[in-house]
Amino acid sequence: MDKLVQFGRSLLQPLLAVIIGLAAGAIAIVIVGGSVMDTYAEMWKGAFGSFYFFTNTLSRATPIILIGLGVALAFRAGFFNMGSEGQMVLGALSAAVTAIYLPGPGWFKLVAAIIAGIISGGIWSAFAGWLDARFRMNLLITTLLLNYIATLFAGYIVSYPLKDRTGSAAMAQTVMLDQSVWLPKLFKGMSLHGGFIIAVVGAILLFLFMRYTVKGYEIRMLGGNPLFASYGGVQRGKMMLISMFVSGGFAGLAGSVEVLGTQYRYLDGALTSPGYAWSGIMATLLAGSHPLGTAVAAILLAALQTGGMGMERNTDVPLEVSSIIQAVLILFVSAKFTYSFIKRRKARS
Amino acid sequence: MDFLLDVSLYASTLRMVTPILLAALGGAICARVGLFNVGLEGLVLIGAFSGIVGNHFTGNVFAAVLFAVLCSLLFSVLFGFMSIHLKANVIVVGIALNFLALGLTTFSLRAIFDVKGAYYNKDMIGLPKWDIPLLKDIPWLGEVLSGHSPLVYLSIILVIVLQLFLFKTVTGFRLLAAGENPTAAKSLGIKVTRIQYGAVLLCGALCGLAGAQLSLGNVTMFTEGMTSGRGFIALVATMLGQSNPIGVAASSLLFGFMDALSIRLQGFALPTHFTMMLPYIVTILAMLFFKDKGYMQEARKSNESSR
């Protein structure tokens, strides 16, 4: 019973934030002169209205889940990894390059591309961790700055050396991947692809890892109480490099499944302009770094985004209403920290 | 090299540096009271947008600047309320604020001007360019320093004023004390919360000015997400300058120079991708020389932030 109450209480806060977010969205809708009920109905239809729209939402959620998991791991270890965008872009680029140039059968190339994506995302992230461990550079800042460098670098690669010059399109992109390397679609004619399965499995694995393994416990301890962790023999520098590598690896994986499952090529800006990285961070914040919760929150955010698109198609209300809802949501979820803070203070007195 | 490093490069450095410098000064004040403000980017964006809105509706540039400051102030109150009053994690609040600013400005762009992407109106008048008498007649120096918007000069004055304020006045010492050791400050009867709010408000006003310079001084238009990471660069400048106004000014100048240089280099055969990378690479290299200072650690500890 106690557990049930606790569970309900942990749900109450995000629920309250969702309500406040929707209220803020309603205000914005009224300001532009739309009908709140109609607009929200269109939003719902755009996200879950039919099986097609529903799978659309899930496929948009796929990279958000993976990035969210990576950020959640770093958060749990006590680090702010703001560099998911760069890690994702580099992962996507290496996956595309591997899939194009590696010889061998399709399934082999697919696996190799995914692994290449994970490794390059992980290395980029661990580099920031190394800068922190070695030179005491603030992780928050370095990961942010490395984003710009990674996206500009990837942009250069696909605008000059690896640019697709076969088509008439002047887009900065690599050549199309061979069909044998594509991640299979889950349903015929729908956009949902095998990456979603990878993301869900990843969420479950991370949940089990954090909860039941020694390393997972060490990571949680490092985030919860660094002094106690070092007293208990956890090597902060080493753990930081490992958790940053895994965190970036998830972001790299997100980039690779987008390339292998949706775009079938690296297209400059296709990963950065939808703001997957920031949505992933938001999903983590929303779920309080819980892996399974992050997956659910990612689907919720993706639904807000696809719903916003549906709303824009069918009403005069601009798409940005959904980004306002998302931001207000996060702002009020951050008050969760408050809630636990008050509890802690009460316990002390 | 002469054609690369000519007079207009330094003049444009000064123009580029102003938004970064103003925001970084705001960040420095916030850092001094123990609140690490990641929301600079959002605050500047709000300032930039409301500057254009103010200009559109009043037709008066100075009223527009005032409006920009007011709107950014409003947002910094939100930041202050969440982080001081509700004790939410400052970094999370800062990130959320950046989102909110991006969403709200894009939304309002559609709602107010009914355009997507960018708003530009050829009838709109930007900030005036002031020629400084006497100074403008000095060769080289005159060309570099004269003919800027008033906000450029204001930012230079503010550096000196803030330096004197922080290290020579009683209120300044109280502000430092509030950040250094809140408990001790409180025991001396210093109203820590009030000082923190004051710092956050000051930061908001400075970011509003920064935004106004961005949208009304450098260009006379607004584009979605036009801050494009300048707020984060300002954050780095704050840390690099170790939250000393003079130090912040020096590090901002470095980034402004790199920014101007990267635009200049685009005229050459170099791919733009690499020239655009320059400010970020230099920032990371510059951070090598930044070593942790005590008060930043205090700030970090009290907020359970980045590490």
Side-chain angles (χ1 to χ4, degrees):
Chain A
M1 189 64 204
D2 256 9
K3 246 190 179 154
L4 209 67
V5 169
Q6 212 175 18
F7 183 69
R9 216 174 256 166
S10 69
L11 267 182
L12 189 73
Q13 187 80 29
L15 217 63
L16 212 64
V18 169
I19 292 168
I20 295 174
L22 289 178
I27 295 170
I29 292 167
V30 168
I31 287 173
V32 291
S35 146
V36 175
M37 282 329 278
D38 287 354
T39 311
Y40 276 145
E42 284 298 336
M43 222 165 165
W44 175 264
K45 267 190 240 162
F48 304 112
S50 70
F51 188 65
Y52 175 77
F53 286 133
F54 179 58
T55 55
N56 241 354
T57 301
L58 290 186
S59 84
R60 194 183 174 92
T62 304
I64 303 178
I65 294 174
L66 286 169
I67 287 170
L69 291 177
V71 179
L73 179 80
F75 271 17
R76 272 292 163 93
F79 312 122
F80 272 89
N81 180 5
M82 296 284 125
S84 318
E85 188 157 296
Q87 293 145 18
M88 169 181 67
V89 162
L90 283 189
L93 182 69
S94 347
V97 170
T98 312
I100 294 169
Y101 292 103
L102 194 76
W107 64 266
F108 174 71
K109 282 201 274 189
L110 179 66
V111 173
I114 288 178
I115 291 173
I118 294 174
I119 290 178
S120 50
I123 287 178
W124 196 242
S125 168
F127 175 59
W130 178 74
L131 286 178
D132 186 303
R134 177 79 180 73
F135 299 107
R136 315 252 327 120
M137 288 184 183
N138 190 307
L139 205 56
L140 187 78
I141 304 286
T142 45
T143 48
L144 269 172
L145 291 172
L146 288 174
N147 277 344
Y148 296 100
I149 295 175
T151 33
L152 285 169
F153 173 74
Y156 166 76
I157 293 289
V158 295
S159 322
Y160 295 95
L162 295 184
K163 189 173 175 176
D164 175 20
R165 292 176 204 282
T166 52
S168 54
M171 303 269 261
Q173 56 190 18
T174 63
V175 291
M176 196 79 145
L177 304 184
D178 191 58
Q179 201 149 1
S180 61
V181 208
W182 294 7
L183 273 170
K185 296 278 185 207
L186 294 185
F187 304 101
K188 213 171 159 41
M190 312 270 171
S191 58
L192 192 62
H193 54 80
F196 182 69
I197 307 270
I198 298 180
V200 170
V201 170
I204 295 169
L205 283 182
L206 187 64
F207 171 71
L208 296 175
F209 168 78
M210 292 301 275
R211 173 151 272 187
Y212 294 111
T213 64
V214 176
K215 273 274 175 291
Y217 175 64
E218 285 183 357
I219 286 176
R220 276 187 292 147
M221 187 161 63
L222 188 65
N225 191 340
L227 277 180
F228 177 67
S230 72
Y231 178 73
V234 176
Q235 285 175 296
R236 186 178 175 278
K238 201 175 128 209
M239 281 309 276
M240 175 184 224
L241 284 185
I242 293 172
S243 45
M244 281 304 278
F245 180 86
V246 178
S247 171
F250 269 110
L253 180 61
S256 1
V257 299
E258 267 301 283
V259 162
L260 299 165
T262 312
Q263 318 275 349
Y264 305 130
R265 61 180 6 147
Y266 181 83
L267 171 63
D268 196 25
L271 291 171
T272 46
S273 49
Y276 287 138
W278 290 106
S279 301
I281 292 172
M282 286 208 263
T284 309
L285 293 177
L286 213 55
S289 304
H290 189 287
L292 298 179
T294 302
V296 175
I299 294 174
L300 174 77
L301 290 179
L304 268 173
Q305 291 161 8
T306 52
M309 288 172 206
M311 175 196 75
E312 194 172 55
R313 274 195 302 272
N314 298 322
T315 65
D316 292 332
V317 181
L319 171 68
E320 282 73 29
V321 167
S322 58
S323 49
I324 292 176
I325 298 176
Q326 288 174 50
V328 172
L329 239 161
I330 301 306
L331 204 56
F332 282 90
V333 159
S334 67
K336 180 158 64 177
F337 292 84
T338 320
Y339 183 70
S340 55
F341 175 82
I342 293 169
K343 258 199 317 205
R344 227 184 306 157
R345 201 161 56 173
K346 262 192 199 147
R348 210 177 292 161
S349 62
Chain B
M1 279 310 259
D2 269 355
F3 52 88
L4 190 61
L5 302 172
D6 60 2
V7 177
S8 70
L9 177 75
Y10 295 106
S12 68
T13 295
L14 211 56
R15 217 168 30 242
M16 296 290 205
V17 85
T18 306
I20 299 175
L21 174 59
L22 284 167
L25 285 175
I29 297 291
C30 266
R32 283 287 184 184
V33 295
L35 298 168
F36 193 58
N37 195 344
V38 190
L40 291 179
E41 175 97 357
L43 289 171
V44 176
L45 193 62
I46 294 281
F49 180 71
S50 43
I52 288 289
V53 172
N55 200 346
H56 178 79
F57 285 113
T58 63
N60 182 326
V61 180
F62 287 94
V65 172
L66 212 65
F67 185 63
V69 169
L70 214 71
C71 287
S72 292
L73 265 182
L74 210 68
F75 263 78
S76 63
V77 170
L78 185 64
F79 175 82
F81 180 73
M82 296 302 281
S83 51
I84 301 168
H85 215 81
L86 295 184
K87 298 261 190 284
N89 184 311
V90 275
I91 291 182
V92 177
V93 176
I95 294 168
L97 208 61
N98 288 340
F99 281 127
L100 195 59
L102 193 61
L104 261 184
T105 50
T106 328
F107 173 78
S108 314
L109 196 65
R110 296 281 303 275
I112 298 173
F113 299 113
D114 204 26
V115 290
K116 205 166 180 155
Y119 175 72
Y120 173 74
N121 181 353
K122 63 176 169 31
D123 298 328
M124 203 157 47
I125 301 159
L127 284 166
K129 307 262 181 279
W130 279 1
D131 281 324
I132 308 294
L134 288 178
L135 189 71
K136 75 170 194 286
D137 297 325
I138 306 171
W140 199 84
L141 210 63
E143 272 183 79
V144 173
L145 291 179
S146 187
H148 290 292
S149 81
L151 287 182
V152 174
Y153 302 116
L154 181 67
S155 71
I156 298 169
I157 295 167
L158 272 173
V159 171
I160 299 159
V161 169
L162 280 178
Q163 181 80 16
L164 292 178
F165 166 72
L166 277 182
F167 300 109
K168 292 277 180 270
T169 65
V170 177
T171 326
F173 280 133
R174 287 202 177 128
L175 192 146
L176 296 182
E180 203 77 53
N181 193 337
T183 322
K186 216 173 263 175
S187 75
L188 286 175
I190 295 173
K191 301 226 166 17
V192 174
T193 318
R194 197 176 292 174
I195 285 178
Q196 282 182 327
Y197 265 111
V200 168
L201 286 177
L202 190 58
C203 174
L206 288 168
C207 287
L209 289 175
Q213 166 69 16
L214 206 58
S215 67
L216 294 171
N218 291 359
V219 287
T220 315
M221 65 185 298
F222 178 82
T223 46
E224 280 174 24
M226 75 184 298
T227 41
S228 61
R230 282 191 184 80
F232 293 123
I233 291 279
L235 205 61
V236 182
T238 300
M239 299 183 59
L240 211 58
Q242 303 185 348
S243 300
N244 275 335
I246 303 272
V248 166
S251 46
S252 302
L253 266 177
L254 176 70
F255 303 132
F257 180 70
M258 283 302 151
D259 221 6
L261 192 66
S262 82
I263 290 174
R264 178 59 57 92
L265 283 170
Q266 281 172 22
F268 296 82
L270 281 165
T272 48
H273 297 98
F274 286 114
T275 57
M276 279 160 72
M277 239 185 249
L278 200 65
Y280 306 111
I281 292 177
V282 170
T283 309
I284 288 189
L285 288 180
M287 280 176 74
L288 271 177
F289 300 99
F290 167 80
K291 291 280 173 278
D292 262 328
K293 281 289 171 259
Y295 65 88
M296 284 300 293
Q297 261 166 352
E298 287 293 329
R300 231 172 259 135
K301 249 184 272 159
S302 63
N303 294 304
E304 311 162 27
S305 77
S306 133
R307 42 181 112 193

